[in-house]
Amino acid sequence: MIRMGSTVIFDEPPVIESWASVAGNHEKKGPLGSYFDIAEEDTTFGHKTWEQSESAMQNMAFKTALEKTSFQADSIDYIFAGDLDNQCIASSFGLMSFNIPMVGLFGACSTMAEGIALSSLLLAGGAANHCAAVTSSHFCSAERQFRYPLEYGGQRPPTAQWTVTGAGATILSKSGQAVASGNPKIRAATIGRITQLGIKDINNMGGAMAPAAADTLTRFFQDTGKKPDDFDLIVTGDLGELGLSLTIQLLQAGGYDCSDRMNDCGCMVFDNKDKHYGSGGSGCGCSAIVLNSYILGQMLAGNLKNVLFIGTGALMSPTSTYQGEIIPAIAHLVHIGI
Amino acid sequence: MPSDQVNKVNSAQYKKMVEEQAPKSNIGKDCLMAFLFGGSLCVLGQIAFDIAKSAGLDKDLASAVSSISLITLAAILTAFNVFDDIGRIAGAGTLVPITGFANSVVASAMEFKTEGFVFGTSVKLFVIAGPVVVFGTVFSVIYGIILLILKAMVVDVGL
């Protein structure tokens, strides 16, 4: 491991052993619908509460990823997991049955990237041979916690985003310990700073998070000396159309033109023309299911070779919002290379 | 780098960027929809009123029947997961009239029943409608006091 600025370069890069995604009905109908391992029309997943449904998705995502490897659950040394429900109950209840040492994370919607970055650090540091990063979000559990009851007949402004119902799991192995050694690898990770440019509008998360994405990407380019051209795809977690456009502009202001190779999981997961979804998808599950289906699949197929995956999270709570505070945001980056 | 600046863009400049680029709600269309749906609800209310009156009820009772009909309609549409779909198009047209109040109470009752009858449904019943009840009560008291004072003045002056 080499530390350059706030970026860690992995000279013995951890390998992504397997990945899996579980998605809901709207995601199934979206442009990436056919890429998910499991996509259910019944988003209760057979459970009585939305929190149980979300837990079930995490359980299924991790189980599916594990089944794709030759390991048993006890071979996984640590799980890094988190979600949007208060006190991260979807992770605690969803992963309880596996009996694996667990590190609970709260990075809001940046959790997938955060979990992969921390897993990679532990693996590269020699503290583990196999780790997993798991996260989820559910439209219905997020709505009741952050917005209104589901049947409430209000309107959403066009900048609002639509929480993705989905869970993703990534299993990583230490370099040399991987069975699937030809799989995509984690080449570098940049941990994000808490960033804000004064946005308070709870219906404009993309606008609140764009500065964090731009800050982390800028620092990665500065730390490593790499250029946007070195990557086939630079993909953010859940900025939506407006947030993505603002991030591109903030990067241009720093001299980095990423416009021709940048995309956002929130713009990929739903049909952009359908204004039902506002500015695009959001939630921990948004970047989790897009990474753990389409992106890693394209990398394995050789269509993408170097990808920058930037998880973006808004770190507010309903309490801080009602108290009139700004929305702090964070973005964690991992460089995935085949 | 200062904490309120990213790549030479500061908060003030960024807020301006966001304001200029954020897609806006179509106010003309929203107003038209609110007028059409809100107006239709008034017509429905009037029809209920007329039916009640022709059935022999007095004006006060007929008004109550009109309100109850709209509340019941909104509650049923909410229970069958239809009200929110209408509300997405109608906006203020269905939210501002009494139907919006009924919807907000029924939607909350449905949403929080998983936390039990006491801590779920009962506690959260007025989670959205609460402020309407509070302001309705406070302002009716204020108007009552003003009315009382005005009436006393009318008597005093002898008008």
Side-chain angles (χ1 to χ4, degrees), chain A residues 151-272:
Chain A
E151 302 306 328
Y152 178 63
Q155 278 179 327
R156 295 155 166 270
T159 51
Q161 291 177 247
W162 185 274
T163 307
V164 163
T165 299
T170 314
I171 295 177
L172 299 106
S173 294
K174 188 180 172 180
S175 175
Q177 297 286 333
V179 178
S181 51
N183 272 9
K185 297 164 187 65
I186 308 301
R187 302 275 177 195
T190 308
I191 299 295
R193 302 193 288 200
I194 303 163
T195 311
Q196 59 84 19
L197 285 182
I199 300 299
K200 286 185 176 184
D201 182 3
I202 203 74
N203 285 311
N204 187 1
M205 291 298 192
M209 296 190 293
D215 179 68
T216 301
L217 269 165
T218 303
R219 286 190 299 127
F220 171 79
F221 290 135
Q222 285 167 351
D223 290 343
T224 59
K226 289 190 185 295
K227 297 181 298 297
D229 298 353
D230 296 329
F231 303 94
D232 307 306
L233 174 68
I234 300 171
V235 62
T236 47
D238 60 342
L239 298 175
E241 281 182 315
L242 176 64
L244 176 62
S245 156
L246 289 163
T247 304
I248 290 172
Q249 293 166 57
L250 286 171
L251 285 165
Q252 276 164 345
Y256 299 102
D257 186 2
C258 301
S259 54
D260 60 337
R261 58 202 63 226
M262 201 154 175
N263 207 338
D264 178 70
C265 297
C267 299
M268 296 161 77
V269 73
F270 296 128
D271 180 2
N272 271 340

Side-chain angles (χ1 to χ4, degrees), chain A residues 48 144 149-153 155 158-159 195-199 204 207 210-211 218 242 245-246 249-250 253-254 276, chain B residues 3-5 7 9 14-15 17-18 21-25 81 84 87-89 91 95 103 107-108 111 114-115 128:
Chain A
K48 277 185 192 154
R144 75 204 306 265
L150 288 180
E151 302 306 328
Y152 178 63
Q155 278 179 327
T159 51
T195 311
Q196 59 84 19
L197 285 182
I199 300 299
N204 187 1
T218 303
L242 176 64
S245 156
L246 289 163
Q249 293 166 57
L250 286 171
H276 184 65
Chain B
S3 68
D4 66 339
Q5 193 175 320
N7 289 342
V9 178
Y14 184 67
K15 273 185 205 169
M17 275 168 69
V18 174
Q21 295 175 33
K24 308 281 185 296
S25 299
N81 306 344
D84 58 322
R88 206 161 285 147
I89 305 161
L95 209 60
N103 164 252
S108 303
E111 182 70 57
T114 49
E115 280 87 338
I128 300 167

Side-chain angles (χ1 to χ4, degrees), chain A residues 52-74:
Chain A
Q52 285 175 352
S53 313
E54 190 177 339
S55 301
M57 288 196 301
Q58 280 211 20
N59 189 292
M60 286 155 73
F62 177 66
K63 206 169 155 214
T64 307
L66 195 63
E67 280 165 4
K68 291 184 188 176
T69 68
S70 52
F71 315 138
Q72 298 298 310
D74 57 10

Side-chain angles (χ1 to χ4, degrees), chain B residues 30-91:
Chain B
D30 289 352
C31 287
L32 181 69
M33 286 299 169
F35 175 74
L36 292 177
F37 278 87
S40 308
L41 280 176
C42 295
V43 172
L44 273 181
Q46 187 62 43
I47 291 171
F49 180 84
D50 289 347
I51 292 173
K53 239 186 147 192
S54 65
L57 297 181
D58 66 21
K59 202 180 150 212
D60 284 351
L61 268 179
S63 300
V65 167
S66 169
S67 302
I68 291 167
S69 309
L70 290 180
I71 288 173
T72 309
L73 179 69
I76 291 171
L77 289 176
T78 305
F80 283 98
N81 306 344
V82 179
F83 192 96
D84 58 322
D85 297 325
I86 301 171
R88 206 161 285 147
I89 305 161

Side-chain angles (χ1 to χ4, degrees), chain A residues 51-111:
Chain A
E51 288 74 15
Q52 285 175 352
S53 313
E54 190 177 339
S55 301
M57 288 196 301
Q58 280 211 20
N59 189 292
M60 286 155 73
F62 177 66
K63 206 169 155 214
T64 307
L66 195 63
E67 280 165 4
K68 291 184 188 176
T69 68
S70 52
F71 315 138
Q72 298 298 310
D74 57 10
S75 313
I76 307 296
D77 300 307
Y78 300 99
I79 286 189
F80 290 87
D83 56 88
L84 288 177
D85 293 348
N86 282 338
Q87 286 75 41
C88 296
I89 49 172
S91 303
S92 308
F93 286 86
L95 302 172
M96 190 155 50
S97 61
F98 295 108
N99 272 323
I100 300 168
M102 190 259 215
V103 184
L105 300 181
F106 183 77
C109 311
S110 70
T111 308

